[in-house]
Amino acid sequence: MLTVLRVDASARNERSLSRKLADKYIDALCRACPDADIVTRDVGSRPPPFVTEAWIAAAFKAPEDRSPHEQAVLEVSDQLIAEVKSADLIVVASPLYNYGMPATLKAWVDQIVRVGKTFDFDLARGDFPIEPMLSGKKLVVLTSSGEFGFAPGGIRQNQDHLTSHLQTVAKYIGAESVDVIRIEYQEFGDERHETSKNAAFQMAEAQGRKLGQLQAAA
Ligand SMILES: Cc1cc2nc3c(=O)[nH]c(=O)nc-3n(C[C@H](O)[C@H](O)[C@H](O)COP(=O)(O)O)c2cc1C
């Protein structure tokens, strides 16, 4: 069975384009693969806590040395990591905020990229001491922006610190492939926005369906 973790990061609900894009993708996937198990984590509406000094101290201790209080400090992180671990596909639906990810999504990333749980640290590996512990997952990023030209080759390609950041952390959540679908021009609200939106919805429908079909046939 395919397990999908859907992470929503928009602060908006009904009006959110990234959430609508995720609805489209997941609906298409579920139509093609009705057995898929969809787990939803809405960090936009219910943000995870930020990492604190107490969190860091607890995370870097061996589990058997943690006090009950330190175990409690890591409870949210444990839960979020369990969701990532059990997922085959992670769908992140996120707006572009100030050229990067919303703080709520960054809080989620900081809770799940954790030593001894999702990555291993060993100085014996020289300049690259960090090794991911998870593998075999796919990451799909569904995003919306007010401006345009953030895709490779676009006029703002170097200003998209949302998908580039997620691509960098992808391997620490076990993702071996990253697909991105974007809606752009939201602030312009003109025909370019309509075209971008329609293309993104079509792509989400096609890619969701294809993945569902592949899974159903497996
Ligand atoms: C706090 C905030 C910051 C934003 N920063 C940017 C930005 O840097 N670049 C951009 O193109 N759009 C920016 N936007 C516009 C959003 O990316 C756009 O409205 C998008 O559709 C929001 O996603 P949503 O529809 O899923 O809520 C920003 C919007 C907000 C509310």
Side-chain angles (χ1 to χ4, degrees):
M1 188 179 61
L2 181 76
T3 301
V4 182
L5 173 61
R6 169 179 174 165
V7 182
D8 284 293
S10 178
R12 304 200 294 178
N13 279 292
E14 296 299 311
R15 301 181 61 214
S16 163
L17 293 170
S18 58
R19 287 177 191 267
K20 288 192 174 88
L21 204 50
D23 289 344
K24 186 62 124 182
Y25 186 98
I26 301 274
D27 285 353
L29 188 150
C30 288
R31 262 182 275 119
C33 179
D35 288 348
D37 184 26
I38 313 295
V39 176
T40 302
R41 174 57 61 178
D42 188 344
V43 301
S45 301
R46 293 199 297 142
F50 290 136
V51 160
T52 58
E53 182 164 1
W55 187 100
I56 296 166
F60 280 84
K61 260 190 193 175
E64 60 275 17
D65 295 336
R66 287 179 197 138
S67 68
H69 174 69
E70 285 170 329
Q71 286 166 22
V73 164
L74 295 176
E75 251 171 34
V76 171
S77 170
D78 289 340
Q79 171 64 32
L80 298 179
I81 289 170
E83 291 171 3
V84 167
K85 270 189 169 173
S86 59
D88 305 297
L89 168 69
I90 301 170
V91 176
V92 172
S94 175
L96 184 69
Y97 281 173
N98 298 309
Y99 304 100
M101 67 177 78
T104 54
L105 184 59
K106 181 60 164 51
W108 177 78
V109 169
D110 289 346
Q111 290 287 348
I112 58 173
V113 180
R114 187 172 127 198
V115 68
K117 291 288 262 186
T118 52
F119 74 88
D120 172 54
F121 185 90
D122 186 353
L123 282 174
R125 285 191 282 261
D127 287 347
F128 297 94
I130 295 175
E131 276 274 308
M133 294 168 72
L134 306 179
S135 61
K137 303 178 193 300
K138 285 175 188 295
L139 172 65
V140 173
V141 181
L142 306 171
T143 180
S144 178
S145 61
E147 298 170 286
F148 65 95
F150 294 105
I155 59 170
R156 294 185 180 86
Q157 64 170 352
N158 296 325
Q159 294 175 43
D160 170 17
H161 304 291
L162 164 67
T163 63
S164 61
H165 195 164
L166 287 173
Q167 265 151 352
T168 301
V169 295
K171 65 177 178 170
Y172 299 111
I173 58 174
E176 292 173 4
S177 72
V178 184
D179 290 331
V180 179
I181 304 177
R182 333 167 173 261
I183 297 174
E184 298 191 301
Y185 300 95
Q186 179 271 326
E187 278 162 15
F188 296 85
D190 55 17
E191 76 285 352
R192 293 173 301 175
H193 178 52
E194 284 306 308
T195 305
S196 171
K197 213 165 52 173
N198 291 339
F201 280 121
Q202 273 176 26
M203 207 180 292
E205 166 83 26
Q207 288 193 14
R209 186 175 56 233
K210 188 172 164 198
L211 196 84
Q213 284 168 342
L214 280 174
Q215 187 60 34

